[in-house]
Amino acid sequence: MALIFLLLITMLAISASQRSLLQQRMAGSLRSAQQARMSAETALRGAEYKIWSIASHAGVRLHCQEGGISADDGCIIYRALSAPYGARGVVTTFQKASGWVENVGKSYAGPMLAGYMDTNGEPTAVLARNPVYLIEDLGSERPPGVGSLHESGNTGPNNRGADEVDVHVYRITARGAGGNPVSVSVVQSTFSAPASP
């Protein structure tokens, strides 16, 4: 009788430990997914801040390129029919790939430029990769019905007068990884800022 009860207790203990391991893995996966989302959001906000701060300095501009992504800003001029926007183009791949995309966009290392892959005394906050962003210059904002852009609104105090402010519209896409390199999150925003004088 004692052996039978011992066998039953052993089976219950094994079942409970397997459930605990499964719950631990699920919690770890959820945490890694949340880290990936926060990482991507951090890069997105960093890119928005970069655009806004450049707009406030005269003569400073993003180095957006036609047909390619600039290495220093991670910026490209939006041209829907160009190769980077094709079915296998780098911009399309960066925006739609389910896994990590290598060597595309600008790595974001944070405001202190320390990155997020070092423990810095917090081993549970380490990311598998630094987040990466891509900025697309969609052009100047136009009033409804003017030009080929889909953005609309009046961009200046004089409604196309001499003092009109040239407002550029940017689409920012950011990718972040969690503590596990398999956890990847992609976020995107549309951001407008005055073009620097």
Side-chain angles (χ1 to χ4, degrees), residues 104-162:
V104 179
K106 175 77 173 156
S107 179
Y108 181 72
M112 304 300 287
L113 303 177
Y116 301 98
M117 297 171 60
D118 189 10
T119 62
N120 294 325
E122 298 179 28
T124 59
V126 175
L127 299 178
R129 302 174 189 277
N130 282 325
V132 179
Y133 65 82
L134 174 69
I135 300 172
E136 299 170 79
D137 184 350
L138 302 179
S140 294
E141 185 178 356
R142 307 273 184 194
V146 176
S148 61
L149 294 176
H150 297 287
E151 302 293 334
S152 64
N154 291 330
T155 60
N158 290 341
N159 193 13
R160 289 182 268 183

Side-chain angles (χ1 to χ4, degrees), residues 12-181:
L12 287 172
I14 289 172
S15 175
S17 68
Q18 285 176 340
R19 270 196 306 259
S20 294
L21 286 172
L22 178 62
Q23 289 176 352
Q24 185 178 11
R25 286 188 191 124
M26 288 178 4
S29 293
L30 179 61
R31 184 175 193 287
S32 188
Q34 288 174 335
Q35 281 181 312
R37 176 68 181 216
M38 287 188 285
S39 170
E41 288 281 349
T42 299
L44 190 72
R45 300 301 167 234
E48 288 175 351
Y49 177 76
K50 178 178 185 148
I51 292 169
W52 192 255
S53 63
I54 284 175
S56 65
H57 292 89
V60 180
R61 297 185 185 279
L62 288 173
H63 302 114
C64 302
Q65 296 179 351
E66 290 270 356
I69 301 166
S70 68
D72 58 345
D73 291 326
C75 188
I76 184 171
I77 296 173
Y78 175 74
R79 297 287 182 258
L81 300 177
S82 64
Y85 289 92
R88 295 178 188 238
V90 291
V91 175
T92 304
T93 301
F94 187 82
Q95 291 175 343
K96 297 184 177 181
S98 58
W100 193 256
V101 178
E102 295 287 343
N103 303 320
V104 179
K106 175 77 173 156
S107 179
Y108 181 72
M112 304 300 287
L113 303 177
Y116 301 98
M117 297 171 60
D118 189 10
T119 62
N120 294 325
E122 298 179 28
T124 59
V126 175
L127 299 178
R129 302 174 189 277
N130 282 325
V132 179
Y133 65 82
L134 174 69
I135 300 172
E136 299 170 79
D137 184 350
L138 302 179
S140 294
E141 185 178 356
R142 307 273 184 194
V146 176
S148 61
L149 294 176
H150 297 287
E151 302 293 334
S152 64
N154 291 330
T155 60
N158 290 341
N159 193 13
R160 289 182 268 183
D163 293 333
E164 181 180 7
V165 178
D166 182 15
V167 175
H168 268 251
V169 180
Y170 300 93
R171 180 169 47 212
I172 306 163
T173 307
R175 300 177 75 83
N180 180 342

